[in-house]
Amino acid sequence: MAAKGPYIAQRPKRADGRRNYDTILAAARKAFAVSGSDASLEDIAAQAGVAIGTLYRHFPTRASLVEAATRDGLDTLVAEAREYAAGNGPLDALARWMKSAVAHISTFRGLVGILTEAMYDEGTPSHVACTAMHRCGADLLRAAQEAGQVRDDLSPDDLFDLLTAAGWVSENAAPGRDAGTRVLRLMLEGVVLPGKGSVRL
């Protein structure tokens, strides 16, 4: 028998189940935004107006709740990669996507670490989405390298190390300070080949 993959929460078909699922997810997003990834699950259930057992029925683990709360953002990054590639030059497409990626992966404190772990751990609920994000980012990087705009020794793993670093700075910056974008701009200026284009973020 094939090993079961990680549990990924799905929106229920029944109307009452959908209501509970949506209410819990909305409460979780608010709680994560305020308290980070360690937000109390009991408080989330209370804010959603459901018993803790109902929360666990929909989201058996904290990781499954985090995955559901961030799924739309990661799916958006994949869609944006295609959009930017179709409507911009290779360097602009890469830079715009990287800025968007930093914003998504630093939505709340602790998310950067969760997604970094998920990228390399097939047993985590966010692994599939992270792999898809990694793949589309690698495609944008490759296009910029083939256009001779970005140094060719930058690997996809290097790219995601840069994103992780900028994301960590962003999620830990003082309120109102867009430190992640500034750090990302400095990073990009270090990998763009001289005379091959300017970085606009």
Side-chain angles (χ1 to χ4, degrees):
M1 180 182 295
K4 292 178 65 176
Y7 179 85
I8 297 177
Q10 299 297 329
R11 193 165 183 257
K13 294 181 179 179
R14 287 175 47 132
D16 56 345
R18 287 198 303 271
R19 281 194 300 272
N20 285 338
Y21 180 95
D22 293 344
T23 303
I24 293 167
L25 204 50
R29 286 173 173 144
K30 289 180 181 178
F32 290 148
V34 172
S35 303
S37 60
D38 291 331
S40 164
L41 298 185
E42 289 78 8
D43 288 349
I44 290 172
Q47 287 298 315
V50 301
I52 188 64
T54 301
L55 183 150
Y56 281 121
R57 187 161 60 250
H58 290 286
F59 306 101
T61 64
R62 178 181 296 274
S64 66
L65 180 57
V66 169
E67 187 281 329
T70 58
R71 186 185 305 163
D72 289 348
L74 295 179
D75 288 348
T76 294
L77 282 176
V78 174
E80 285 179 344
R82 301 190 194 102
E83 175 189 337
Y84 295 158
N88 301 270
L91 179 57
D92 282 344
L94 177 63
R96 288 185 65 187
W97 184 83
M98 289 179 70
K99 181 179 180 181
S100 186
V102 168
H104 280 294
I105 68 176
S106 60
T107 303
F108 52 80
R109 290 192 312 279
L111 182 57
V112 169
I114 290 170
L115 296 180
T116 301
E117 177 185 0
M119 179 63 226
Y120 302 103
D121 185 349
E122 295 181 7
T124 58
S126 296
H127 176 74
V128 171
C130 287
T131 300
M133 182 183 73
H134 192 286
R135 186 167 51 248
C136 68
D139 289 343
L140 291 174
L141 172 62
R142 191 175 305 109
Q145 289 172 324
E146 290 174 353
Q149 293 180 295
V150 172
R151 50 192 294 175
D152 59 12
D153 63 341
L154 186 72
S155 71
D157 284 341
D158 293 333
L159 173 68
F160 281 86
D161 287 342
L162 296 179
L163 290 177
T164 298
W168 185 90
V169 168
S170 181
E171 75 174 30
N172 288 280
R177 181 167 180 257
D178 191 9
T181 298
R182 173 171 168 73
V183 167
L184 181 58
R185 182 182 293 111
L186 294 171
M187 289 174 171
L188 280 165
E189 288 174 353
V191 300
V192 174
L193 294 172
K196 296 299 183 178
S198 58
V199 174
R200 291 177 293 179
L201 292 177

